[in-house]
Amino acid sequence: PLCAIQYSRKKFNMATNKNFKKRSIFVTVGTTRFDLLVKSVTQSPSLEWMASNGYTDLVIQYGKGNAPVLPGDDDTATPDSSTATNLYMQTTTVKLNKNTISCRWYQFQPSLIQDMKNADLIISHAGAGTVMEVLRLSPPKKLVVVINTLLMNNHQTELAHAMAQRGHLFVVNEPTEMMTANEHELIDFWNQFQDFVPIPHQGGDDQDFPQLLNDHLGF
């Protein structure tokens, strides 16, 4: 196994060092179902990468899909997404080889803006509303957009690639790219997120978004 993981259902204990700074990754799928994205960020090597790169908190909004199954959990015990219990916040602390990461997940919330503002890295589906909401944040956030290839007539791809060409976000063409069985390849892939420096999106022009898509599609 890549790591031995134990679970504690207690609250995450912050370091007593006054220089300690919590760093957060926020994952959102919006109102859709995107189980592959959720699975890719909760696999053992992904959690190891997060913790080893100084991230202390992982927050997941999983929408209409299944609740996250963390390594060591019994897959068969995962509650069905239709049950009311999935509407409530759930938290656990994951102890890795040498690090600890706090994981929190929920199905929906009236607003995601606070989790977006608190995040140092945002990993998102390619929905236009979510993408534009993140790009409007100040200071700009590091945004990784993962294409949901299971969607039919996926126009989200054009938006994501158009914004990526402008340097506003990083695109992952499909979630399986984040789930390679080769540990070194996975680390190299995730390191791209850490190295990415976004160009701030200026916004303020109602014609900017339509023109961006027209330019990308060659109209």
Side-chain angles (χ1 to χ4, degrees), residues 4-219:
I5 299 181
Q6 296 177 325
Y7 292 91
S8 170
R9 298 292 169 177
K10 299 178 181 179
K11 290 184 178 179
F12 177 76
N13 294 320
M14 294 179 61
T16 55
N17 189 330
K18 63 181 180 180
N19 295 321
F20 175 82
K21 182 182 182 300
K22 295 179 70 174
R23 300 183 70 218
S24 174
I25 294 178
F26 178 52
V27 180
T28 175
V29 307
T31 59
T32 63
R33 182 187 188 106
F34 200 175
D35 290 339
L36 277 178
L37 174 56
V38 174
K39 184 177 180 180
S40 72
V41 299
T42 54
Q43 60 182 336
S44 299
S46 299
L47 294 171
E48 288 281 14
W49 180 90
M50 295 173 194
S52 65
N53 280 276
Y55 292 101
T56 57
D57 293 80
L58 171 64
V59 181
I60 302 171
Q61 180 269 317
Y62 60 90
K64 295 178 180 177
N66 292 321
V69 177
L70 294 165
D73 278 356
D74 181 2
D75 288 6
T76 61
T78 305
D80 186 87
S81 61
S82 63
T83 61
T85 54
N86 267 7
L87 295 173
Y88 300 106
M89 192 86 63
Q90 299 181 64
T91 305
T92 188
T93 298
V94 182
K95 294 183 178 180
L96 307 168
N97 285 334
K98 297 181 180 180
N99 303 288
T100 302
I101 187 165
S102 175
C103 298
R104 176 165 59 90
W105 61 95
Y106 56 87
Q107 192 171 14
F108 298 108
Q109 280 195 158
S111 173
L112 305 180
I113 192 67
Q114 196 57 53
D115 282 326
M116 290 178 176
K117 288 182 176 180
N118 291 340
D120 297 278
L121 170 64
I122 298 174
I123 303 176
S124 170
H125 71 125
T130 301
V131 169
M132 297 309 297
E133 188 171 18
V134 174
L135 294 182
R136 292 189 187 104
L137 293 175
S138 180
K141 295 292 182 178
K142 204 173 277 195
L143 173 62
V144 174
V145 170
V146 184
I147 305 298
N148 189 345
T149 53
L150 297 180
L151 293 180
M152 298 295 291
N153 301 317
N154 192 356
H155 301 297
Q156 297 178 353
T157 304
E158 285 82 4
L159 168 64
H161 283 284
M163 287 297 189
Q165 286 183 352
R166 292 188 173 191
H168 301 318
L169 53 82
F170 186 97
V171 172
V172 177
N173 289 313
E174 56 181 274
T176 54
E177 294 182 19
M178 302 163 62
M179 300 171 64
T180 174
N182 185 300
E183 182 180 3
H184 295 294
E185 288 181 4
L186 184 140
I187 291 173
D188 288 342
F189 191 85
W190 277 77
N191 280 341
Q192 297 177 90
F193 306 164
Q194 191 78 340
D195 297 336
F196 174 65
V197 179
I199 297 174
H201 179 257
Q202 300 302 321
D205 182 356
D206 292 339
Q207 297 302 313
D208 182 62
F209 178 51
Q211 185 60 48
L212 183 151
L213 288 180
N214 287 341
D215 291 345
H216 183 75
L217 296 172
F219 295 153

